[in-house]
Amino acid sequence: HELYVSASVGISLYPQDGQNAGILLQNADAAMYKANHEGRRNFQFSTADMTELAVERVLMETQLHRALEREQFVVYYQSQMDLLSGRLVGLEALVRWQHPELGLLLPTKFIPLAEDTGLIMPLGKWVLQTACRQIAAWHKADLYPGRIAVNLTGNQLKSDKVISTIAQILEEAGCQPDWLELEITESVIMEQHGRSFNILQQLKDRGIELAIDDFGTGYSSLAHLKRLPVSRLKIDRSFVRDIPQDASNKAIARAVIAMGKSMGLRVIAEGVEKNEQRAFLAAERCDEIQGYICGPPLPAGQMTERLSKRSGLHLPQT
Ligand code: C2E
Ligand code: MG
Ligand code: MG
């Protein structure tokens, strides 16, 4: 085997970046972290705002560690609706961090950090548990929001115990496998190739549905896609945003819908906010939509209210 090795280099200079070896190393480390994030194989010099960021990161990391035991995470639920019938077909579970000083933080603020530090494992497990318990509770209360979709990261998928952990969570929560859908991003699915195929197949065999999230942002091999045991494609929000003005986004959305359908997959568009977007997607025979037009992500209490009032079970009339 021929191996290729690349390096990310972080550089700090004496005396401007630090008066002693400890500080210099710490700043070089922050610069290396940036080099890693800029796609590796490059070098970065330490800067003042990097140091600030590094300090902020360490602080956030400590707080993130405590957030789980302090019960600061909350799961919000967002509706997914069928375009033809207008009916609610499912909910996506989206985590938020109720930070004591910074307020409600969106996942983009802390999921990457949770992934880097390994905290995504306990956090992801907690989200799955919470969502499964919630859907079981809704069923008990005679409320049927459809399947519940939970996001899974690459690290979770890679874990040896992923199948047994999920099975155990379902059992404990009293949640049937076919109430659950797992969303995996296109880039994660493609990155893992053959490895993930096996795991995905096992999940599918147990009756859990699988969706490819953020479709169109990664580099899918169509040959690989064809073999994957997934049932849904989620068109990324970035392609929906400027519809109907942006001709190339319209072309992409149209192509993804046509491709998904020809592969026998259901296609759902993310981030649908406006009637024009909805009309375009309906005309293209997209199956489902998710976005502010169907409602914002809501905490469990408010979602329960919407479900029991039967409002929120249908798309508003255009
Ligand atoms: P995603 O899975 O693609 O989730 C959709 C995101 O789009 C959500 O952002 C949602 O609030 C937002 N959104 C929905 N409708 C609209 C709309 O009409 N307009 C606009 N502008 N945005 C809309 P959010 O909640 O900030 O989540 C961001 C990402 O964080 C998610 O993207 C997902 O990849 C990740 N994430 C969220 N919860 C979890 C989780 O429990 N575990 C993991 N691993 N990742 C999560
Ligand atoms: Mg998602
Ligand atoms: Mg997405």
Side-chain angles (χ1 to χ4, degrees), residues 181-254:
E181 177 173 77
L182 296 173
E183 294 192 2
I184 300 150
T185 61
E186 182 188 12
S187 39
V188 164
I189 283 203
M190 291 301 150
E191 188 178 283
Q192 304 206 7
H193 283 282
R195 250 186 77 79
S196 62
F197 181 83
N198 206 327
I199 302 222
L200 297 178
Q201 188 62 51
Q202 286 184 58
L203 291 168
K204 176 92 184 173
D205 290 344
R206 285 171 184 259
I208 298 167
E209 297 234 322
L210 300 165
I212 303 191
D213 206 352
D214 304 343
F215 191 79
T217 58
Y219 301 91
S220 270
S221 137
L222 293 183
H224 187 45
L225 188 65
K226 195 178 66 181
R227 290 188 295 119
L228 285 175
V230 297
S231 39
R232 280 167 119 207
L233 283 188
K234 299 194 78 179
I235 306 180
D236 190 61
R237 196 166 77 224
S238 57
F239 302 117
V240 175
R241 197 183 300 134
D242 299 317
I243 286 176
Q245 292 81 18
D246 189 318
S248 58
N249 274 358
K250 279 202 317 200
I252 292 172
R254 192 177 280 137

Side-chain angles (χ1 to χ4, degrees), residues 166-187:
I166 293 175
Q168 196 189 347
I169 289 174
L170 287 173
E171 163 125 28
E172 271 172 16
C175 173
Q176 286 175 23
D178 59 355
W179 297 349
L180 178 66
E181 177 173 77
L182 296 173
E183 294 192 2
I184 300 150
T185 61
E186 182 188 12
S187 39

Side-chain angles (χ1 to χ4, degrees), residues 17 31 56 64 86 93 96 154 162 208 264 287:
D17 294 327
E56 201 180 284
L64 199 60
R96 272 99 184 86
V162 61
I208 298 167
D287 300 292

Side-chain angles (χ1 to χ4, degrees), residues 92-94 150-151 183 213-214 234 270 290:
E92 178 172 6
L94 295 159
V150 179
N151 295 282
E183 294 192 2
D213 206 352
D214 304 343
K234 299 194 78 179
E270 301 184 305
Q290 176 179 349

Side-chain angles (χ1 to χ4, degrees), residues 44-114:
Q44 296 288 331
F45 283 93
S46 165
T47 61
D49 57 330
M50 233 180 244
T51 316
E52 230 166 80
L53 271 178
V55 170
E56 201 180 284
R57 204 181 117 87
V58 171
L59 202 69
M60 279 282 261
E61 196 178 320
T62 325
Q63 293 173 337
L64 199 60
H65 266 285
R66 292 196 205 119
L68 207 56
E69 62 199 56
R70 296 192 178 164
E71 299 180 4
Q72 290 169 353
F73 291 109
V74 196
V75 178
Y76 275 49
Y77 300 88
Q78 188 178 34
S79 314
Q80 303 179 329
M81 287 169 164
D82 185 273
L83 263 173
L84 205 60
S85 67
R87 289 180 52 175
L88 180 71
V89 290
L91 298 175
E92 178 172 6
L94 295 159
V95 69
R96 272 99 184 86
W97 178 6
Q98 186 61 63
H99 192 284
E101 287 116 43
L102 303 173
L104 196 68
L105 298 182
L106 293 177
T108 38
K109 286 263 182 219
F110 60 89
I111 291 278
L113 184 60

Side-chain angles (χ1 to χ4, degrees), residues 88 138 143 145 303-311 313:
L88 180 71
W138 276 325
L143 300 171
M303 189 49 91
T304 307
E305 221 168 280
R306 274 188 75 160
L307 294 172
S308 34
K309 279 202 217 131
R310 314 271 153 202
S311 65
L313 290 184

